Amino acid sequence: MKFLRKIIALVIGVAFVAAIVISIGLIFAVKNINVTVLSYSEDSSKNYADAKKSLSAIKGESILFVDSKNISRAIDGCNYSLVSYEKVYPCTVNVTVKERLETFAVSVGGQYSFYDADGVYLRKGTENINSLDGSPNIEVTGVAIEEMGGVAKVAGAFKEKFNALRSLVSSIGYDGNSQIEDYTEKLFFNFKCGLVIEFDNYKELTEEKIEAACNLFAKLSDRQKLGGVLRCYQVEDGSVKTVYFKR
């Protein structure tokens, strides 16, 4: 009898623990997902609906284990990237996503591969035409696919200083050779007006070089901006120098 009572007590204890676990699971299961969409389109209602539908994949999951990886996985393949999220206990998640802005084009085998402002692949096409506004994207040349993220980051810093990117720059070119020791990696921003801004060793002191380029650009005459090269580089004392010269 004692053995039977122990078994009954154990079964009741296991059932009680299971009931608690199930109750907690139900209480903390994600039921509400509030979505804020940062969109570049005039009508963002469709973007909101698409984002809401994609994020419904995390409904029912325990809010305790919801993180950026879960949310990013839910919107993977959609035209959005995660900006931020907030968990509101017991069962609500607030998510902010932004529309991926088509920005760059890379010519590959007679077709173009298009990338967003973060250098993440979007789609392919036969013409370099932006799907949002119908204007050309910035064509990137000489850059390996795995380096697109780094180039996009530089372009983003450029946009912050110059307050424009696609309206100013028609293409970005890369010149580098990892097989040659101490070879100077260069990134060229080719302006639509004819000017070229050259950043030597662009991965070092990037923001300082862009700021210096912006300061000198503002001092150029309209005639100078129609051509020539504005070069940014680091000198021996560690400071950044900019020079302008005609080609």
Side-chain angles (χ1 to χ4, degrees), residues 8-222:
I8 293 173
L10 179 61
V11 170
I12 293 173
V14 170
F16 181 72
V17 171
I20 292 176
V21 170
I22 292 172
S23 298
I24 292 175
L26 291 173
I27 292 171
F28 290 100
V30 176
K31 297 182 181 67
N32 307 308
I33 303 173
N34 300 320
V35 183
T36 300
V37 176
L38 306 179
S39 177
Y40 303 99
S41 307
E42 292 183 3
D43 182 8
S44 60
S45 58
K46 184 178 184 301
N47 293 334
Y48 177 83
D50 290 345
K52 191 82 172 180
K53 182 179 179 181
S54 299
L55 288 166
S56 64
I58 66 173
K59 273 193 173 183
E61 294 189 17
S62 173
I63 194 172
L64 300 172
F65 303 110
V66 169
D67 57 19
S68 59
K69 291 182 179 179
N70 299 106
I71 299 172
S72 296
R73 193 181 303 118
I75 59 176
D76 185 35
C78 301
N79 196 31
Y80 313 101
S81 59
L82 177 63
V83 175
S84 64
Y85 73 97
E86 176 190 17
K87 295 191 284 189
V88 182
Y89 290 93
C91 59
T92 300
V93 179
N94 298 325
V95 181
T96 299
V97 297
K98 67 176 179 179
E99 186 178 8
R100 292 171 62 189
L101 181 60
E102 188 175 306
T103 305
F104 306 105
V106 178
S107 180
V108 180
Q111 277 195 321
Y112 287 98
S113 294
F114 299 103
Y115 296 81
D116 68 9
D118 296 318
V120 179
Y121 174 79
L122 279 173
R123 64 181 182 92
K124 288 186 181 295
T126 56
E127 293 184 280
N128 181 13
I129 299 296
N130 186 283
S131 59
L132 187 64
D133 57 27
S135 299
N137 293 298
I138 297 172
E139 185 167 357
V140 180
T141 60
V143 176
I145 299 304
E146 57 270 19
E147 293 291 332
M148 279 300 301
V151 172
K153 188 174 181 180
V154 176
F158 178 97
K159 183 178 181 179
E160 284 189 12
K161 290 296 181 183
F162 281 81
N163 295 316
L165 184 62
R166 283 183 59 217
S167 60
L168 282 178
V169 179
S170 59
S171 63
I172 296 175
Y174 168 80
D175 176 29
N177 191 333
S178 59
Q179 303 300 317
I180 301 176
E181 188 177 358
D182 296 329
Y183 191 92
T184 301
E185 286 187 302
K186 300 176 182 179
L187 207 60
F188 300 91
F189 281 66
N190 302 301
F191 279 42
K192 293 179 179 180
C193 61
L195 179 73
V196 176
I197 296 186
E198 172 188 328
F199 296 102
D200 292 6
N201 290 323
Y202 70 95
K203 295 179 182 178
E204 301 174 6
L205 298 176
T206 304
E207 293 186 2
E208 290 83 352
K209 290 174 182 176
I210 292 174
E211 183 174 6
C214 186
N215 292 337
L216 180 55
F217 177 78
K219 297 176 182 178
L220 297 180
S221 66
D222 291 340

